[in-house]
Amino acid sequence: MGFTGIAVGAAMAGLKPICEFMTFNFAMQAIDQIINSAGKTFYMHDNHYAGKQIYVAVPIVFRGPNGAAAGVGAQHSQCYGAWYTHCPGLKVISPYSSEDCRGLLKASIRDPDPVVFLENELLYGTAFDIPDDAMSKDFLIPIGKAKIEKQGNHITLVSHSKAVATCLDAAAELAKNNIDCEVINLRSLRPLDMETVFNSVIRTNHLVTVEQGWPQCGIGSEICARIMESSVFDYLDAPVIRVTGADVPMPYTMSLEAQALPRPADVIFAVKKTLNVQ
């Protein structure tokens, strides 16, 4: 609570602090500073007084590990994507690969608004191939733009963070049965790149969302609602299926922890159910 408040005050004073949490679970102690002080200040102060425009910008990045870890218990193992995405005034990033982290963290630091940068602890030790252009000091990824990790024609899989790997593994297995999946890595949760999702669904006519967070009011729920409220709904040949974490606090026991998170087998089951194939 203390160092988050100091960082927010520094941003209001004209600096560009990066506030790092050892785990985003601890950011719950600083939720007032993140939501009320950082997220709402520009809106509350962007006005005119005595003929002059008065505003207070809060260019700050909150970053740290998010989502399921390994054997750390219920209070240290949860995804905050849907929590922060719910709040206007914040931008929310959920990277998957090293390329995502490099390009989006730099873009977040340069952004004039408060950004919540949700990294994944289990991905810290994962090696990724890095394209040459991503190694440039000027390399940036625009906030609010999803990436198609794998192109396909039969069904769209939409995910973020570590769940992207789950989708890619499932897509590789489904390809053996001639089922061609398109895998979309959202990268940004607020703003949400629905244009990329819409265009994909218009081509594939099927959609499965995958996330490690809880099902109620999750990222998949938001995507389903936006599909339902748009003309893209008419392109669906089957209902959207959400694959999520179990609707329980994270178990501590390793065997139960594995069952509480979506697996490639869960995605494969959802895809076959949506496509009505064995």
Side-chain angles (χ1 to χ4, degrees), residues 13-249:
L15 300 179
K16 283 198 169 186
I18 302 173
C19 182
E20 194 269 345
F21 299 106
M22 188 171 73
T23 165
F24 252 98
N25 298 277
F26 296 160
M28 294 293 287
Q29 307 300 320
I31 201 71
D32 182 57
Q33 283 85 355
I34 297 172
I35 303 300
N36 287 325
S37 296
K40 299 177 181 178
T41 293
F42 183 83
Y43 171 82
M44 295 172 64
H45 291 82
D46 185 15
N47 52 42
H48 290 78
Y49 178 76
K52 296 181 179 180
Q53 186 176 23
I54 301 173
Y55 66 92
V56 179
V58 189
I60 186 172
V61 177
F62 303 102
R63 61 165 291 232
N66 172 70
V72 294
Q75 75 274 40
H76 297 141
S77 199
Q78 56 196 319
C79 178
Y80 287 90
W83 293 60
Y84 290 114
T85 302
H86 181 65
C87 304
L90 298 175
K91 293 178 180 176
V92 183
I93 308 298
S94 183
Y96 161 60
S97 65
S98 299
E99 175 186 352
D100 291 348
C101 283
R102 179 174 173 82
L104 286 167
L105 184 57
K106 292 173 68 176
S108 299
I109 294 170
R110 288 160 174 74
D111 198 272
D113 297 315
V115 179
V116 175
F117 199 91
L118 302 173
E119 301 163 10
N120 185 280
E121 182 174 345
L122 297 182
L123 288 175
Y124 283 158
T126 302
F128 291 90
D129 292 331
I130 300 292
D132 292 338
D133 63 327
M135 297 305 295
S136 168
K137 65 179 182 179
D138 299 319
F139 176 71
L140 298 172
I141 294 176
I143 293 175
K145 183 62 179 175
K147 178 184 179 181
I148 298 177
E149 296 285 348
K150 177 188 175 299
Q151 294 186 331
N153 298 309
H154 295 155
I155 189 168
T156 301
L157 306 179
V158 178
S159 59
H160 66 96
S161 189
K162 197 174 185 300
V164 176
T166 306
C167 289
L168 291 172
D169 290 342
E173 189 65 28
L174 288 163
K176 299 176 183 177
N177 295 325
N178 297 316
I179 298 176
D180 190 17
C181 301
E182 180 147 296
V183 178
I184 296 177
N185 170 16
L186 289 172
R187 301 196 294 195
S188 173
L189 302 181
R190 187 180 183 108
L192 195 60
D193 183 6
M194 288 304 301
E195 181 180 0
T196 295
V197 177
F198 285 163
N199 290 338
S200 180
V201 172
I202 288 171
R203 288 189 300 98
T204 67
N205 310 117
H206 299 87
L207 174 62
V208 170
T209 67
V210 185
E211 61 190 305
Q212 290 194 334
W214 294 312
Q216 183 162 316
C217 302
I219 301 301
S221 301
E222 178 65 22
I223 292 173
C224 288
R226 296 202 191 186
I227 291 282
M228 188 74 180
E229 294 168 349
S230 74
S231 60
V232 178
F233 173 76
D234 297 327
Y235 288 88
L236 285 173
D237 289 341
V240 179
I241 292 181
R242 295 176 297 148
V243 178
T244 71
D247 195 23
V248 296

